Amino acid sequence: MELDKHYLHAEVEQKWYAYWQSKGYFDSKPDQREPYTIVIPPPNVTGVLHMGHMLNNTIQDVLIRKARMEGKNACWVPGTDHASIATEAKVVKMLAEQGIQKKDLSREDFLKHAWDWTHKYGGIILEQLKKLGASCDWKRTRFTMEDDLSQAVNTVFIKMFRDGLIYRGTKMVNWDPKGLTTLSDEEVIYKENIAQLYYIVYPFSEQTKQAISGLSEGLIIATTRPETLMGDVAICVHPDDERYKHLIGQTVLVPIVNREVPIIADDYIDQAFGTGCLKVTPAHDENDYRIGEKHHLEAIDVLTEDGKIHERAGAYAGLDRFACRKQIVKDLEEKGLLSKTEAIKNTIGHSERTDAVIEKKISTQWFVNMQLFMQKHPEVLDHVMDDQIAFHPNKFKNTYKHWLSNIKDWNISRQLWWGHRIPAWYDNQGHMVVAESEAEALLQFQSLNATIQLKDIRQDDDVLDTWFSSWLWPISVFDGFKDSEDFKYYYPTNDLVTGPDIIFFWVARMVMAGYAFTGQKPFSNVYFTGLVRDKQRRKMSKSLGNSPEPLELIAQFGADGTRMGLLLSAPAGNDILYDESQLEQGRNFCNKIWNAYRLIAGLPVHEDALVSAEQLASDKLAHQWFEMKFQLAVNAIHEDFNAFRLSDALMSIYKLIWDDFCSSYLEMVKPPFGQPIAESTLSQAKDHFEALLKLLHPFMPFITEELYHALHDSHPEQPIIVSAYPKPHQTHTLINDLALGIVSEIRNIRNSKGLSPKQSLDIIINTSVSANYQVWEGILRKLANLNQISYNQQKPEHCLTFLISTDECFIPFESQIDQVAEAKKIADEITYLQGFLKSVEAK
RNA sequence: GGGAGCUUAGCUCAGCUGGUUCAGAGCAUCUGCCUUACAAGCAGAGGGUCACUGGUUCGAACCCAGUAGCUCCCACCA
């Protein structure tokens, strides 16, 4: 049998993924075992796999595979999100390329196109996840727009409406002029910007000039948005401002449109900003809106839905808002009404989806009353703060708390077609009912007015915010609103793995939905991954071209290598700096493991069964030493898992395999070239190798499955994916000292004498002279403290004899736990005194 | 403007309860090796005032205060 020196992965991956799936190892259904549940953060149907998904889903797969191996009922639910705005935009664009305008289509026809699109492209990202090795239960794949999940959305909406948690109201909201819809506050991204601050002259009216003598030409007002000037309804100054006090109640003329507007006073005004005068445009600014309400001013909306100047503005109608700004500045300058211009820093809101500059707009929309919601469900905050829902890293608790403490009402209606249509109906008289269906709505209307017909009522045109369905995800994927068996068994889920960028959009709202609709938390742990950035710390983006194609990476480095490369540099919450050399490291590691297998598989065994049964002392010691090393690593790895330090866990395994198993253990038991190995030693080596493969399997599923099978001449009864994960055992640190002692001793001898590890080990065993007393003395003293051996047996060979004589040298000294604590206390006291003496001497 | 976090080797980061893992890991670098598992490898080596200043302590990378720089989140300054 001739094996390639380099590990080839492509076929291996395909083979095992198909095998696992065909045997149903990803499948899950309720049974007697303890459940372990993860729901995938559903990617957008429009999405294609990017580096963020790779990282995120690798982590989930590691967690689910470990749980599966630990004998839990592991259930990982995949699915996709309908992504209202993003998908509608894609479909609109696709139709436009075919020469079809959305406005020429009926709602039904448009939705047909959207569904076609979804069926055609919607599953791509899930197929890509399979290449990564994601062991989702694909039979459970859900979609937020499918019937059952839409039904859940309806149920929740109606319940919340009846509980007074949802209301319809007219408020100032965020308007996306490109997406042609309103947005929630969370969907607005504020960006720093250098704006021009224009100082515009508003001439005094004739009346004012007559009333007050000695006035200058007009009031100078600073604004960054001259194009909203046609919507000005007042000028506002601070009531205590000495410069303008006498003008309050007088009027000025709005330039261009020459409308006469009053000068009013409000202490909201910052006297130090600009000239201390504010032009009040209630239709286009939140503060102006408040001032307008307070002073009973009209609101003139001068913009159209797509961000152009409206006819009612009286000038510049049809011009784009930014073109208008330029034009108006030019016109003012010509009229001599532009006093000066200066650059200032400010922030401007952009649409999260379309990146268009957001307009504030007064509009009638649907809202969730968040104040009331939080009053009813205080555990949403409390149980995150007391770690019943634990955040990793926990610094995000602060962010979470801050957001919830300042939460505003959630605008949930969107002026789109692709999404869950709001279950509200209106009649011609302006009445409204909220109902399960059109038929039920009609019944409700008829109870008020018997003559009303189906043709007299119409459903609300708007759909709901995508997150209004996403927040139900952990409940609805298990049909939680129908009280299903799956729901009772798998909910609450265990761990959620997601990015901190959607902590408000999604994580917080799932917690809300969990407590509000099930009375239970939706998950116990939230693991926040970092952003994947390039080497220069720039975000991955299409425009920068610094985002590698994930599937190409998998083809190049293998899914195992890619997974390892990503995980190695991804401590919880830290951004990961993508660097191809990390993936190389992953690939090289695969190769190292592959070659360890080649060694073990190729060793000749003693033909004489009797000789073969006998084991060299050095082999026995090497075996015991590695067992200790292994157990210590397993313990550390479990601790790392519990704290979600996955990269640390992986690094421990990496070092255990490379340094301890390959460089030390295999070198110790490897016979000289051409010589046979004892059967017993070989079988121990195989057992160790097998245990290592299990330990590694959650991280690198494919190569471990391949070698697990290859290691057995006949196929094992169970594949590694469902084998038992190595368990932690209690040990004591002095065992660690012991393990370290042996290795450092071997190294000393090797270096000084130029011998092989095996020869060095023999020397340690056979001579006491060459051994380093210092290394052993400490260990002996500690062992003496534990009554394991008497202190006067202070010789290395005694220590070794003792070690070899006991088969349980790494098994916990259960009976000596108290003594261990005692010994530690004494040791602490000695160190204290030593430190104390040292510092006294120094003085 | 408010809040949170970070600063340890060339890079990315560990360092948990102050003292035997205390100055660490991986990668990168340098020097020797194509040695019969593996050059995608092996054997070695170098490299740090733990941001700065003070304080607490017998003892500080770790606790406290201040300073500087960076990052993120939130916020209605026209």
Side-chain angles (χ1 to χ4, degrees), chain A residues 443-515:
Chain A
L443 281 177
Q444 282 193 43
F445 276 118
Q446 282 170 341
S447 71
L448 301 169
N449 172 2
T451 64
I452 209 160
Q453 300 291 310
L454 201 57
K455 65 174 168 45
D456 299 325
I457 66 170
R458 61 180 175 82
Q459 187 174 0
D460 198 306
D461 279 325
D462 291 356
V463 299
L464 289 161
D465 182 2
T466 301
W467 299 103
F468 196 86
S469 58
S470 315
W471 76 328
L472 307 176
W473 185 249
I475 308 170
S476 57
V477 294
F478 295 116
D479 296 317
F481 293 96
K482 296 179 194 158
D483 208 27
S484 70
E485 284 305 308
D486 273 355
F487 178 74
K488 281 184 209 151
Y489 182 75
Y490 286 114
Y491 188 93
T493 70
N494 293 71
D495 301 335
L496 176 78
V497 181
T498 189
D501 49 332
I502 52 174
I503 183 170
F504 308 134
F505 279 121
W506 197 46
V507 179
R509 286 177 184 150
M510 279 192 290
V511 178
M512 293 174 180
Y515 285 115

Side-chain angles (χ1 to χ4, degrees), chain A residues 557-602:
Chain A
F557 300 103
D560 290 327
T562 307
R563 287 164 66 117
M564 173 168 171
L566 281 173
L567 274 181
L568 263 186
S569 54
N574 278 14
D575 285 352
I576 95 150
L577 268 58
Y578 168 76
D579 184 351
E580 207 169 274
S581 72
Q582 288 160 350
L583 304 199
E584 264 172 46
Q585 199 185 344
R587 179 202 59 185
N588 294 356
F589 185 43
C590 286
N591 200 45
K592 185 74 183 177
I593 298 168
W594 175 246
N595 279 294
Y597 165 71
R598 286 179 62 223
L599 172 66
I600 290 176

Side-chain angles (χ1 to χ4, degrees), chain A residues 145-404:
Chain A
M145 278 273 278
E146 69 182 60
D147 288 347
D148 288 345
L149 274 67
S150 301
Q151 187 54 47
V153 168
N154 255 5
T155 306
V156 163
F157 184 95
I158 292 163
K159 181 181 179 337
M160 287 179 78
F161 180 75
R162 296 197 175 138
D163 292 348
L165 287 169
I166 283 182
Y167 67 93
R168 190 164 184 255
T170 303
K171 298 213 233 191
M172 182 152 264
V173 294
N174 306 299
W175 179 260
D176 176 346
K178 205 164 154 191
L180 302 178
T181 179
T182 58
L183 299 175
S184 68
D185 294 341
E186 287 70 38
E187 287 166 293
V188 180
I189 310 294
Y190 288 91
K191 296 183 188 172
E192 285 261 313
N193 173 266
I194 303 292
Q196 296 300 314
L197 186 61
Y198 301 98
Y199 288 74
I200 300 172
V201 181
Y202 282 55
F204 291 114
S205 65
E206 285 306 318
Q207 262 176 300
T208 301
K209 280 189 201 157
Q210 280 168 19
I212 302 172
S213 55
L215 284 177
S216 59
E217 192 191 339
L219 269 184
I220 299 176
I221 287 134
T223 180
T224 53
R225 302 210 56 194
E227 73 275 15
T228 62
L229 164 157
M230 291 84 79
D232 291 353
V233 293
I235 299 301
C236 193
V237 298
H238 196 278
D240 303 332
D241 195 327
E242 293 300 332
R243 293 170 295 180
Y244 307 117
K245 236 175 168 173
H246 60 295
L247 294 171
I248 295 168
Q250 300 298 333
T251 56
V252 294
L253 296 173
V254 178
I256 313 281
V257 289
N258 288 320
R259 182 167 56 240
E260 191 172 348
V261 298
I263 299 169
I264 60 173
D266 195 292
D267 53 16
Y268 159 75
I269 300 300
D270 175 4
Q271 299 183 41
F273 189 91
T275 59
C277 301
L278 171 73
K279 72 186 199 60
V280 183
T281 323
H284 296 289
D285 185 279
E286 194 137 12
N287 295 307
D288 292 19
Y289 180 63
R290 264 206 297 275
I291 295 173
E293 275 194 317
K294 202 162 142 189
H295 298 266
H296 309 290
L297 300 167
E298 190 192 353
I300 307 171
D301 189 343
V302 299
L303 291 176
T304 61
E305 289 190 340
D306 57 353
K308 297 196 172 81
I309 305 299
H310 197 276
E311 279 172 22
R312 74 171 78 86
Y316 305 105
L319 206 55
D320 178 79
R321 53 192 166 147
F322 299 114
C324 175
R325 183 182 298 174
K326 274 187 195 153
Q327 188 59 43
I328 212 164
V329 167
K330 205 172 147 200
D331 292 351
L332 287 169
E333 211 166 3
E334 275 171 16
K335 290 191 159 89
L337 294 176
L338 187 68
S339 147
K340 66 167 175 172
T341 305
E342 85 190 11
I344 59 156
K345 236 202 280 188
N346 68 352
T347 54
I348 292 182
H350 293 253
S351 163
E352 196 228 356
R353 279 288 151 212
T354 67
D355 202 42
V357 174
I358 292 301
E359 289 294 343
K360 289 284 176 176
K361 186 183 171 83
I362 303 159
S363 176
T364 303
Q365 303 290 337
W366 290 89
F367 296 90
V368 175
N369 184 336
M370 293 315 303
Q371 289 256 309
L372 183 58
F373 194 104
M374 289 306 292
Q375 269 170 31
K376 287 191 169 187
H377 305 288
E379 58 281 34
V380 170
L381 177 58
D382 297 345
H383 289 179
V384 167
M385 295 321 284
D386 67 17
D387 292 330
Q388 288 192 39
I389 298 174
F391 283 6
H392 308 272
N394 69 5
K395 66 175 175 182
F396 289 111
K397 276 163 75 172
N398 290 319
T399 315
Y400 181 83
K401 183 181 178 179
H402 185 259
W403 184 72
L404 277 183

Side-chain angles (χ1 to χ4, degrees), chain A residues 683-820:
Chain A
S683 108
Q684 280 171 353
K686 283 185 176 178
D687 288 348
H688 288 317
F689 196 43
E690 197 179 289
L692 288 169
L693 291 174
K694 288 180 185 175
L695 203 54
L696 182 62
H697 178 261
F699 298 91
M700 303 174 81
F702 296 109
I703 189 173
T704 49
E705 187 73 89
E706 173 75 8
L707 294 184
Y708 189 74
H709 287 261
L711 215 50
H712 293 77
D713 293 335
S714 58
H715 275 273
E717 281 177 27
Q718 296 280 45
I720 201 168
I721 188 175
V722 287
S723 66
Y725 203 68
K727 290 190 178 71
H729 287 293
Q730 209 176 1
T731 57
H732 191 260
T733 49
L734 70 87
I735 301 303
N736 194 20
D737 298 342
L738 219 72
L740 287 173
I742 293 176
V743 168
S744 74
E745 196 55 27
I746 289 170
R747 186 155 297 148
N748 286 343
I749 296 170
R750 292 183 63 184
N751 288 349
S752 59
K753 306 201 167 155
L755 298 173
S756 76
K758 190 177 175 59
Q759 290 166 321
S760 309
L761 191 55
D762 283 336
I763 290 183
I764 293 179
I765 291 169
N766 297 329
T767 73
S768 56
V769 190
S770 61
N772 179 341
Y773 273 74
Q774 275 187 337
V775 170
W776 303 107
E777 205 186 295
I779 298 166
L780 277 166
R781 195 181 297 124
K782 285 180 188 172
L783 286 171
N785 282 340
L786 298 172
N787 290 330
Q788 290 291 318
I789 51 172
S790 65
Y791 184 62
N792 56 15
Q793 288 182 303
Q794 278 188 34
K795 291 202 169 149
E797 59 268 35
H798 291 137
C799 183
L800 281 165
T801 312
F802 165 74
L803 279 176
I804 292 168
S805 68
T806 170
D807 281 338
E808 41 182 26
C809 54
F810 69 90
I811 309 259
F813 302 102
E814 295 282 2
S815 57
Q816 275 91 16
I817 295 286
D818 290 346
Q819 292 168 48
V820 169

